Amino acid sequence: MTNSSSILEHGGVARRTSSALVVRALALTYLMVMLIIPLAVILQDGLRDGPGAMVRSIAKPVALHALMLSLWTAGLMAIINAVMGTLTAYVLVRYRFPGKALLNAIVDLPFAIPTLVTGVMLVVLYGPQRALGAWFDQNLGIKIIFAPPGIILALLFITFPFVTRAVQPVLLSLDRDQEEAAATIGAGSWTIFRRVVLPAIAMPLIAGTLLSFARAIGEFGAIVVVAGNIPLRSQTAAVYVLGEIESENQRAASAMSVVMLAIAFGLVVLVDYLQRKRDDG
Amino acid sequence: MMDEISDLERDKQTSRPADKQIGPEQVLSWSPGLPVSLSGRGWLKWLLIGIVIAYVAVLILAPLGALVAGAFSGGLGAIATALNEPDVLSAFWRTLLIAVIVVLVHTICGTAVAWVLVRQNFRGRRILNGLIDLPFAVSPVVAGYMLILLFGRTGVLAPLLAALGIQVAFALPGMIIATLFVTLPFMVRELMPILHAFGVEQEQAAATMGASGWQTFWHVTFPALRWGFIYGLTLTFARALGEFGAVLVIGGSVQGRTETATLYIFRALNDRQYVGAYSAALVLGLISLILVIGADLLRGKEH
């Protein structure tokens, strides 16, 4: 690459001035202080006694149960969200019906509402002393609050926009000639969706689902209200970390934090890779 | 036959309002029987719409309605009394203060980060770009805990802070840093694509005509970014108002000192002061909602 072309590509003119260097120094210092140093400190603390000690700390029944609860509730949520998010995006893009604009606005609602408030909402609706909560408990034997169903409901609420908003723009820009061609040769609705639409939206669908999963693993505000803090029953990984911090059990808190960070980091990198692959191809 | 025409065809027709009747070109564009595609079957369409609306109603609207009903169960007077308590008001003011400071810092530093990541090339740029999204995925509890390890009593920076006489953990500065961390991606991610799309030609032209770096930014780049700014700031502000886990861990939720609006809601819930908890939750939810909807409307105007 010649020098002049690299100047053109990277903003050239601004790059040469001293103010650009000042801005760069400001930006990098800010990221260093806000992002890199805190991450480094927690990694250092979690791995202080070696990875063996970290694994032993995670393998304790209470810790392992909390981590597993977070993983399976987030996993189940991700599957439901992938299906319902895609369906919502599809309905919003392809159909006209009264109230469509309202539905489109409601999709963003969970982004706006603080997750703690989401938790409060679910407790008001399904709490054991509430009519609906008591009905579920007595007639169906399903406990929602302080139990996994409440966790899954809270996660579904919070992550609802992730898949829909990832799929929607791609679906909107999709060229429909292929669908029409498939219809001409007699393909049914489901076949067209599976063979033509789904491959086209696969990347954003996977990216959105993974992001919602990553977000759900770390969710705290809604879950601490909905699930409470009952070890070995409804305590998730994030709530477990809080408990260990409060009882000044730093090693356990750090070990779980490092595991959660590793999962979050892995998923963010994976999503970044998927998106870049899509943009390149 | 007309009923069988897919929404696709209907879209095409409405997008050309001038010729609602089927003109010759349209006859050419749909040969008989062709567009009975996926969206064509009436019953399927309404089934799918029904499923989505039912899902949204159960998942989102029912809890929302329950909260409104719960807060109003004691009447409007009870809400006013509950929210008029001095500790509730001070919690809301503290939240507002943190959110305003966070927005100001991100306006400057977030813009700088976005600009540097788009316009400059340096080693590690790609990794940094990937790391920007991390606060979206990191648990707020872990975010608060990182700051405890840095600024807490036995933290890495404890000796330095003691020497300077600054308290960060269990005080406002720590809560501000925690909120800065969780809201880091909003401004940066909002501005980056706009900066990217805007390109460098106009900036270069301004520089060629002798404008300084700052003049170029203020008169050329900033106007292009304006809506992105407003949207990014609103999202940051809304998210900062609702932050809970990170400020709970680093702030310690000391009533009257480090208690924010969310922390008050949590305490009121634990103390079974339901009207207070529900009312404060409703107010906080409404403020965030109005902010985000307002930003959405602004964005709609821009396009």
Side-chain angles (χ1 to χ4, degrees), chain A residues 179-227:
Chain A
E179 285 172 62
E180 286 177 42
T184 324
I185 55 171
S189 314
W190 175 240
T191 313
I192 295 176
F193 182 79
R194 206 163 39 98
R195 294 287 182 80
V196 181
V197 180
L198 202 54
I201 60 168
M203 278 302 186
L205 175 57
I206 293 169
T209 307
L210 288 178
L211 274 184
S212 71
F213 181 75
R215 178 80 177 65
I217 296 280
E219 176 49 33
F220 173 70
I223 287 178
V224 77
V225 177
V226 166

Side-chain angles (χ1 to χ4, degrees), chain A residues 65-66 68-77 80 122 126 141-156 222-223 226-228 230 232-236:
Chain A
H65 183 275
M68 285 304 157
L69 180 64
S70 280
L71 286 173
W72 82 256
T73 49
L76 188 58
M77 174 283 297
I80 300 175
L122 291 172
Y126 298 111
I142 300 173
K143 282 193 173 43
I144 293 178
I145 301 304
F146 305 125
I151 298 177
I152 295 167
L153 277 177
L155 294 179
L156 281 172
I223 287 178
V226 166
I230 313 167
L232 292 172
R233 250 188 59 205
S234 65
Q235 189 185 52
T236 61

Side-chain angles (χ1 to χ4, degrees), chain A residues 71-113:
Chain A
L71 286 173
W72 82 256
T73 49
L76 188 58
M77 174 283 297
I79 294 168
I80 300 175
N81 202 9
V83 175
M84 291 312 296
T86 306
L87 184 58
T88 307
Y90 189 86
V91 162
L92 281 174
V93 169
R94 291 292 165 90
Y95 296 144
R96 276 152 193 260
F97 52 94
K100 177 170 156 169
L102 185 66
L103 180 65
N104 195 33
I106 291 173
V107 172
D108 278 333
L109 211 80
F111 272 153
I113 292 176

Side-chain angles (χ1 to χ4, degrees), chain B residues 80-123:
Chain B
T81 322
L83 292 180
N84 216 6
E85 299 283 330
D87 57 333
V88 182
L89 290 177
S90 86
F92 268 91
W93 278 118
R94 199 165 289 115
T95 293
L96 194 66
L97 176 68
I98 293 174
V100 167
I101 295 174
V102 162
V103 161
L104 289 178
V105 173
H106 276 325
T107 306
I108 298 165
C109 297
T111 311
V113 169
W115 189 81
V116 167
L117 284 179
V118 172
R119 291 281 193 265
Q120 301 203 330
N121 201 18
F122 51 89
R123 204 170 297 173

